[in-house]
Coordinates of all heavy atoms in Angstrom, one line a residue:
D84 N -22.2 3.3 63.3 CA -22.9 2.1 63.9 C -24.1 1.7 63.1 O -24.4 0.5 63.0 CB -23.3 2.4 65.4 CG -22.0 2.4 66.3 OD1 -21.0 2.0 65.9 OD2 -22.2 3.0 67.4
A85 N -24.8 2.7 62.7 CA -26.1 2.3 61.9 C -25.8 1.6 60.6 O -26.7 0.9 60.1 CB -26.8 3.6 61.6
R86 N -24.5 1.7 60.2 CA -24.2 1.0 58.9 C -23.2 -0.1 59.2 O -22.6 -0.7 58.2 CB -23.6 2.0 58.0 CG -24.6 3.0 57.5 CD -24.1 4.3 57.0 NE -25.2 5.2 56.5 CZ -25.9 5.9 57.3 NH1 -25.7 5.9 58.6 NH2 -26.9 6.7 56.9
G87 N -23.1 -0.5 60.4 CA -22.3 -1.7 60.7 C -20.8 -1.5 60.5 O -20.1 -2.5 60.2
V88 N -20.3 -0.3 60.5 CA -18.9 -0.1 60.3 C -18.0 -0.6 61.4 O -18.3 -0.3 62.6 CB -18.6 1.4 60.1 CG1 -17.1 1.7 60.0 CG2 -19.3 1.9 58.8
R89 N -17.0 -1.3 61.1 CA -16.1 -1.9 62.1 C -14.7 -1.3 61.9 O -13.9 -1.3 62.9 CB -16.0 -3.4 62.0 CG -17.4 -4.0 62.3 CD -17.3 -5.5 62.1 NE -16.4 -6.1 63.0 CZ -16.0 -7.4 63.0 NH1 -16.5 -8.2 62.1 NH2 -15.1 -7.9 63.9
R90 N -14.3 -0.9 60.7 CA -13.0 -0.4 60.4 C -13.1 0.9 59.7 O -13.7 1.1 58.7 CB -12.2 -1.4 59.6 CG -11.8 -2.7 60.3 CD -11.3 -3.8 59.4 NE -12.4 -4.2 58.5 CZ -13.3 -5.2 58.9 NH1 -13.1 -5.8 60.0 NH2 -14.2 -5.6 58.1
L91 N -12.4 1.9 60.3 CA -12.5 3.3 59.8 C -11.1 3.9 59.6 O -10.2 3.6 60.3 CB -13.2 4.2 60.9 CG -13.3 5.7 60.7 CD1 -14.3 6.0 59.6 CD2 -13.7 6.4 61.9
V92 N -11.0 4.6 58.5 CA -9.7 5.4 58.3 C -10.0 6.9 58.4 O -11.1 7.3 57.9 CB -9.2 5.0 56.9 CG1 -10.1 5.4 55.7 CG2 -7.8 5.6 56.7
L93 N -9.1 7.6 58.9 CA -9.2 9.0 59.1 C -7.9 9.7 59.0 O -6.8 9.0 59.1 CB -10.0 9.3 60.4 CG -9.3 9.0 61.7 CD1 -10.1 9.6 62.9 CD2 -9.3 7.5 62.0
G94 N -7.9 11.0 58.9 CA -6.6 11.7 58.7 C -6.0 12.0 60.1 O -6.6 11.8 61.1
R95 N -4.8 12.6 60.0 CA -4.1 12.9 61.2 C -4.8 13.9 62.1 O -4.8 13.9 63.3 CB -2.7 13.4 60.9 CG -1.8 12.3 60.4 CD -0.4 12.7 60.1 NE -0.3 13.8 59.1 CZ 0.8 14.1 58.4 NH1 1.9 13.4 58.7 NH2 0.8 15.0 57.5
A96 N -5.4 14.9 61.4 CA -6.1 16.0 62.2 C -7.3 15.5 62.9 O -7.5 15.8 64.1 CB -6.5 17.1 61.2
A97 N -8.0 14.6 62.3 CA -9.2 14.0 63.0 C -8.7 13.1 64.1 O -9.3 13.1 65.2 CB -10.1 13.3 62.0
A98 N -7.7 12.3 63.9 CA -7.2 11.4 64.9 C -6.7 12.1 66.1 O -6.6 11.5 67.2 CB -6.1 10.5 64.3
A99 N -6.3 13.4 65.9 CA -5.7 14.1 67.1 C -6.8 14.7 68.0 O -6.5 15.3 69.0 CB -4.8 15.3 66.5
R100 N -8.0 14.6 67.6 CA -9.1 15.2 68.4 C -9.5 14.2 69.5 O -10.0 13.1 69.3 CB -10.3 15.5 67.6 CG -10.2 16.7 66.7 CD -11.6 17.1 66.3 NE -12.3 17.6 67.4 CZ -12.5 18.9 67.6 NH1 -12.1 19.8 66.8 NH2 -13.2 19.3 68.7
P101 N -9.3 14.6 70.8 CA -9.7 13.7 71.9 C -11.2 13.3 71.9 O -11.6 12.2 72.3 CB -9.3 14.5 73.2 CG -8.3 15.4 72.7 CD -8.7 15.8 71.3
D102 N -12.0 14.3 71.6 CA -13.5 14.0 71.6 C -13.9 13.0 70.6 O -14.7 12.1 70.8 CB -14.3 15.3 71.5 CG -13.9 16.2 70.3 OD1 -13.0 15.8 69.6 OD2 -14.5 17.2 70.1
L103 N -13.3 13.1 69.4 CA -13.6 12.1 68.4 C -13.0 10.8 68.7 O -13.7 9.7 68.5 CB -13.1 12.6 67.0 CG -13.4 11.7 65.8 CD1 -15.0 11.6 65.6 CD2 -12.8 12.3 64.5
T104 N -11.8 10.8 69.2 CA -11.2 9.5 69.7 C -12.0 8.8 70.7 O -12.2 7.6 70.6 CB -9.8 9.8 70.2 OG1 -9.0 10.4 69.2 CG2 -9.1 8.5 70.7
A105 N -12.6 9.6 71.6 CA -13.4 8.9 72.7 C -14.7 8.4 72.1 O -15.1 7.3 72.5 CB -13.7 10.0 73.8
A106 N -15.3 9.1 71.2 CA -16.5 8.6 70.6 C -16.3 7.4 69.7 O -17.3 6.6 69.5 CB -17.1 9.7 69.7
L107 N -15.1 7.2 69.2 CA -14.9 6.1 68.3 C -14.3 4.8 69.0 O -13.9 3.9 68.3 CB -13.9 6.5 67.2 CG -14.4 7.6 66.3 CD1 -13.4 8.0 65.2 CD2 -15.7 7.2 65.6
Q108 N -14.3 4.9 70.3 CA -13.7 3.7 71.0 C -14.5 2.4 70.6 O -15.7 2.4 70.5 CB -13.9 4.0 72.5 CG -13.0 5.0 73.1 CD -11.5 4.6 73.0 OE1 -11.2 3.4 73.2 NE2 -10.7 5.5 72.6
G109 N -13.7 1.4 70.5 CA -14.2 0.1 70.1 C -14.2 -0.2 68.6 O -14.3 -1.3 68.2
L110 N -14.0 0.9 67.8 CA -13.8 0.7 66.4 C -12.4 0.5 66.0 O -11.5 1.1 66.7 CB -14.4 1.9 65.6 CG -15.9 2.1 65.6 CD1 -16.2 3.3 64.7 CD2 -16.6 0.9 65.0
E111 N -12.1 -0.3 65.0 CA -10.7 -0.4 64.5 C -10.4 0.8 63.6 O -11.1 1.0 62.6 CB -10.6 -1.7 63.7 CG -9.2 -2.0 63.2 CD -9.1 -3.3 62.4 OE1 -9.9 -4.2 62.7 OE2 -8.2 -3.3 61.5
R112 N -9.5 1.6 64.1 CA -9.2 2.8 63.4 C -7.8 2.8 62.8 O -6.8 2.3 63.4 CB -9.3 4.0 64.3 CG -10.7 4.4 64.7 CD -10.7 5.2 65.9 NE -10.5 4.4 67.1 CZ -9.9 4.8 68.2 NH1 -9.5 6.1 68.3 NH2 -9.7 4.0 69.2
T113 N -7.6 3.3 61.6 CA -6.3 3.5 60.9 C -6.1 4.9 60.5 O -7.0 5.6 60.0 CB -6.3 2.6 59.6 OG1 -6.5 1.2 59.9 CG2 -4.9 2.8 58.9
V114 N -5.0 5.5 60.9 CA -4.7 6.8 60.6 C -3.9 6.9 59.3 O -2.9 6.1 59.2 CB -3.9 7.5 61.8 CG1 -3.6 9.0 61.4 CG2 -4.7 7.4 63.1
F115 N -4.3 7.7 58.4 CA -3.6 7.8 57.1 C -2.3 8.6 57.3 O -2.2 9.8 57.0 CB -4.5 8.4 56.1 CG -4.0 8.2 54.7 CD1 -5.0 8.1 53.6 CD2 -2.7 7.9 54.3 CE1 -4.6 7.9 52.3 CE2 -2.3 7.7 53.0 CZ -3.3 7.6 52.0
D116 N -1.3 8.0 57.9 CA 0.0 8.7 58.1 C 1.2 7.9 57.7 O 2.3 8.1 58.2 CB 0.1 9.0 59.6 CG 0.1 7.8 60.5 OD1 -0.1 6.7 59.9 OD2 0.3 7.9 61.7
Q117 N 0.9 7.1 56.7 CA 2.0 6.3 56.1 C 1.9 6.1 54.6 O 0.8 6.4 54.1 CB 2.0 4.9 56.8 CG 0.6 4.2 56.6 CD 0.5 3.0 57.4 OE1 1.4 2.1 57.4 NE2 -0.6 2.8 58.2
P118 N 2.9 5.8 53.9 CA 2.8 5.7 52.4 C 1.8 4.6 52.1 O 1.7 3.6 52.7 CB 4.2 5.2 52.0 CG 5.1 5.7 53.1 CD 4.3 5.6 54.4
I119 N 1.0 5.0 51.1 CA -0.2 4.1 50.7 C 0.3 2.7 50.3 O -0.4 1.7 50.5 CB -1.0 4.8 49.7 CG1 -2.3 4.0 49.5 CG2 -0.3 4.9 48.4 CD1 -3.3 4.7 48.6
D120 N 1.5 2.6 49.7 CA 2.0 1.3 49.2 C 2.1 0.3 50.4 O 2.1 -0.9 50.2 CB 3.3 1.5 48.5 CG 3.1 2.1 47.1 OD1 1.9 2.1 46.6 OD2 4.0 2.6 46.5
T121 N 2.3 0.8 51.6 CA 2.6 -0.1 52.7 C 1.3 -0.7 53.3 O 1.3 -1.6 54.1 CB 3.3 0.6 53.9 OG1 2.5 1.7 54.3 CG2 4.6 1.2 53.3
W122 N 0.1 -0.1 52.9 CA -1.1 -0.7 53.5 C -2.3 -0.6 52.4 O -3.4 -0.6 52.8 CB -1.5 0.1 54.7 CG -1.8 1.6 54.5 CD1 -1.0 2.5 54.1 CD2 -3.1 2.2 54.7 NE1 -1.7 3.7 54.0 CE2 -3.0 3.5 54.4 CE3 -4.3 1.7 55.2 CZ2 -4.0 4.5 54.5 CZ3 -5.4 2.6 55.3 CH2 -5.2 4.0 54.9
K123 N -1.9 -0.7 51.2 CA -2.9 -0.6 50.1 C -3.9 -1.7 50.2 O -5.1 -1.5 50.0 CB -2.2 -0.6 48.7 CG -3.1 -0.4 47.6 CD -2.4 -0.6 46.2 CE -1.3 0.4 46.1 NZ -0.6 0.3 44.8
G124 N -3.4 -2.9 50.5 CA -4.4 -4.1 50.6 C -5.4 -3.8 51.7 O -6.6 -4.1 51.5
E125 N -4.9 -3.4 52.8 CA -5.8 -3.1 53.9 C -6.9 -2.0 53.6 O -8.1 -2.2 53.8 CB -5.0 -2.7 55.2 CG -5.9 -2.3 56.3 CD -5.1 -1.7 57.5 OE1 -3.9 -1.7 57.4 OE2 -5.7 -1.2 58.5
L126 N -6.4 -1.0 52.9 CA -7.3 0.1 52.6 C -8.4 -0.3 51.6 O -9.5 0.0 51.8 CB -6.4 1.3 51.9 CG -7.2 2.4 51.4 CD1 -8.0 3.2 52.5 CD2 -6.3 3.4 50.7
F127 N -8.0 -1.1 50.6 CA -9.0 -1.5 49.6 C -9.9 -2.7 50.0 O -11.0 -2.8 49.6 CB -8.3 -1.8 48.3 CG -7.9 -0.5 47.5 CD1 -6.7 0.1 47.8 CD2 -8.8 0.0 46.5 CE1 -6.4 1.3 47.1 CE2 -8.4 1.1 45.8 CZ -7.2 1.8 46.1
D128 N -9.3 -3.5 50.9 CA -10.0 -4.8 51.2 C -10.7 -4.8 52.5 O -11.6 -5.6 52.7 CB -9.0 -6.0 51.0 CG -8.5 -6.1 49.6 OD1 -9.1 -5.6 48.7 OD2 -7.3 -6.6 49.5
R129 N -10.2 -4.0 53.5 CA -10.7 -4.2 54.8 C -11.4 -3.0 55.4 O -12.3 -3.1 56.2 CB -9.6 -4.6 55.8 CG -8.9 -5.9 55.4 CD -7.9 -6.3 56.5 NE -8.7 -6.6 57.8 CZ -8.5 -5.9 58.9 NH1 -7.7 -4.9 58.9 NH2 -9.2 -6.2 60.0
V130 N -11.0 -1.8 55.0 CA -11.6 -0.6 55.5 C -13.1 -0.4 55.1 O -13.4 -0.5 53.9 CB -10.8 0.7 55.2 CG1 -11.5 2.0 55.5 CG2 -9.4 0.6 55.8
D131 N -13.9 -0.1 56.0 CA -15.4 0.1 55.7 C -15.7 1.5 55.4 O -16.7 1.7 54.7 CB -16.2 -0.4 56.9 CG -16.0 -1.8 57.3 OD1 -16.0 -2.7 56.4 OD2 -15.8 -2.1 58.5
A132 N -15.0 2.5 56.0 CA -15.5 3.8 55.9 C -14.3 4.8 56.0 O -13.3 4.5 56.7 CB -16.6 4.2 56.9
G133 N -14.5 6.0 55.5 CA -13.5 7.1 55.6 C -14.2 8.3 56.2 O -15.4 8.5 55.9
F134 N -13.5 9.0 57.0 CA -14.1 10.2 57.6 C -13.2 11.4 57.2 O -12.0 11.4 57.2 CB -14.1 10.1 59.2 CG -14.4 11.4 59.8 CD1 -15.8 11.8 60.0 CD2 -13.4 12.3 60.3 CE1 -16.1 13.0 60.5 CE2 -13.8 13.5 60.9 CZ -15.1 13.9 61.0
T135 N -13.9 12.5 56.8 CA -13.2 13.7 56.5 C -14.0 15.0 57.0 O -15.2 14.9 57.2 CB -13.1 13.9 54.9 OG1 -14.4 14.3 54.4 CG2 -12.5 12.7 54.3
F136 N -13.2 16.0 57.2 CA -13.8 17.3 57.3 C -14.1 17.9 56.0 O -13.7 17.3 54.9 CB -12.9 18.3 58.1 CG -12.6 17.8 59.5 CD1 -11.4 17.2 59.8 CD2 -13.5 18.0 60.5 CE1 -11.1 16.8 61.1 CE2 -13.3 17.6 61.8 CZ -12.1 17.0 62.1
T137 N -14.8 19.0 55.9 CA -15.1 19.7 54.6 C -14.8 21.2 54.8 O -14.8 21.7 55.9 CB -16.6 19.6 54.2 OG1 -17.4 20.2 55.2 CG2 -16.9 18.1 54.1
E138 N -14.5 21.8 53.6 CA -14.1 23.2 53.6 C -15.4 24.1 53.6 O -15.5 25.1 54.2 CB -13.2 23.5 52.4 CG -12.8 24.9 52.3 CD -11.5 25.1 53.1 OE1 -11.1 24.2 53.9 OE2 -10.9 26.2 53.0
A139 N -16.4 23.6 52.8 CA -17.6 24.3 52.6 C -18.7 23.4 52.0 O -18.4 22.3 51.6 CB -17.4 25.6 51.7
G140 N -19.9 24.0 52.0 CA -21.0 23.3 51.4 C -21.7 24.3 50.4 O -21.7 25.5 50.6
I141 N -22.3 23.7 49.3 CA -22.9 24.5 48.3 C -24.4 24.1 48.3 O -24.7 23.0 47.9 CB -22.2 24.3 46.9 CG1 -20.8 24.8 47.0 CG2 -23.0 25.1 45.8 CD1 -20.0 24.4 45.9
A142 N -25.3 25.1 48.7 CA -26.7 24.8 48.9 C -27.4 24.4 47.6 O -28.3 23.5 47.6 CB -27.3 25.9 49.6
D143 N -27.1 25.1 46.5 CA -27.9 25.0 45.3 C -27.8 23.5 44.8 O -28.8 23.0 44.2 CB -27.4 25.9 44.2 CG -27.9 27.3 44.4 OD1 -28.7 27.5 45.3 OD2 -27.4 28.2 43.7
T144 N -26.7 22.9 45.0 CA -26.5 21.5 44.4 C -26.3 20.5 45.5 O -26.1 19.3 45.1 CB -25.3 21.5 43.5 OG1 -24.1 22.0 44.2 CG2 -25.6 22.4 42.3
G145 N -26.3 20.8 46.8 CA -26.0 19.9 47.8 C -24.6 19.3 47.7 O -24.3 18.1 48.0
T146 N -23.6 20.1 47.3 CA -22.3 19.7 47.1 C -21.4 20.0 48.3 O -21.5 21.1 48.9 CB -21.7 20.4 45.8 OG1 -22.6 20.0 44.7 CG2 -20.3 20.0 45.5
L147 N -20.4 19.2 48.5 CA -19.4 19.4 49.5 C -18.1 19.8 48.8 O -17.8 19.3 47.7 CB -19.1 18.1 50.3 CG -20.2 17.5 51.1 CD1 -19.8 16.2 51.7 CD2 -20.7 18.4 52.2
L148 N -17.4 20.8 49.5 CA -16.1 21.2 48.9 C -15.0 20.8 49.9 O -15.1 21.2 51.1 CB -16.1 22.7 48.7 CG -15.0 23.3 47.8 CD1 -15.4 24.6 47.2 CD2 -13.7 23.5 48.6
L149 N -14.1 19.9 49.5 CA -13.0 19.4 50.3 C -11.7 20.0 49.8 O -11.5 20.1 48.6 CB -13.0 17.9 50.3 CG -14.0 17.1 51.1 CD1 -15.4 17.3 50.7 CD2 -13.6 15.6 51.1
R150 N -10.8 20.3 50.8 CA -9.5 20.7 50.4 C -8.5 19.7 51.0 O -8.1 19.8 52.1 CB -9.2 22.1 51.0 CG -7.8 22.7 50.6 CD -7.4 23.8 51.5 NE -8.3 25.0 51.3 CZ -7.9 26.1 50.5 NH1 -6.8 26.1 49.9 NH2 -8.8 27.1 50.4
P151 N -8.2 18.7 50.3 CA -7.3 17.6 50.8 C -5.9 18.2 51.0 O -5.5 19.2 50.4 CB -7.3 16.6 49.6 CG -8.5 16.9 48.8 CD -8.7 18.4 48.9
G152 N -5.2 17.5 51.9 CA -3.8 17.9 52.2 C -3.1 16.8 52.9 O -3.6 15.6 53.0
A153 N -1.9 17.0 53.4 CA -1.2 16.0 54.0 C -1.9 15.4 55.3 O -1.7 14.2 55.5 CB 0.2 16.6 54.5
D154 N -2.6 16.2 56.0 CA -3.3 15.7 57.2 C -4.6 15.0 56.8 O -5.2 14.3 57.6 CB -3.7 16.9 58.1 CG -2.4 17.3 58.9 OD1 -1.4 16.6 58.9 OD2 -2.5 18.5 59.4
E155 N -5.1 15.2 55.6 CA -6.3 14.5 55.2 C -6.3 14.3 53.7 O -6.9 15.0 52.9 CB -7.5 15.4 55.6 CG -8.8 14.6 55.7 CD -9.9 15.4 56.4 OE1 -10.5 16.4 55.8 OE2 -10.2 15.2 57.6
P156 N -5.6 13.2 53.2 CA -5.5 13.0 51.8 C -6.8 12.7 51.1 O -7.8 12.2 51.8 CB -4.6 11.7 51.8 CG -3.9 11.7 53.1 CD -4.8 12.3 54.1

Side-chain angles (χ1 to χ4, degrees):
D84 287 346
R86 290 157 181 82
V88 171
R89 299 176 60 189
R90 291 168 291 273
L91 175 72
V92 62
L93 64 172
R95 289 183 298 200
R100 286 199 65 105
D102 52 357
L103 183 60
T104 299
L107 298 179
Q108 286 297 319
L110 291 181
E111 184 179 330
R112 285 160 287 152
T113 301
V114 182
F115 200 151
D116 60 355
Q117 53 190 313
I119 191 171
D120 287 342
T121 63
W122 65 297
K123 187 184 299 181
E125 176 186 354
L126 174 62
F127 280 85
D128 298 335
R129 297 190 68 244
V130 170
D131 300 315
F134 171 81
T135 72
F136 297 102
T137 61
E138 184 86 351
I141 299 169
D143 283 350
T144 54
T146 299
L147 301 173
L148 194 154
L149 280 65
R150 185 196 292 260
D154 285 343
E155 202 165 76

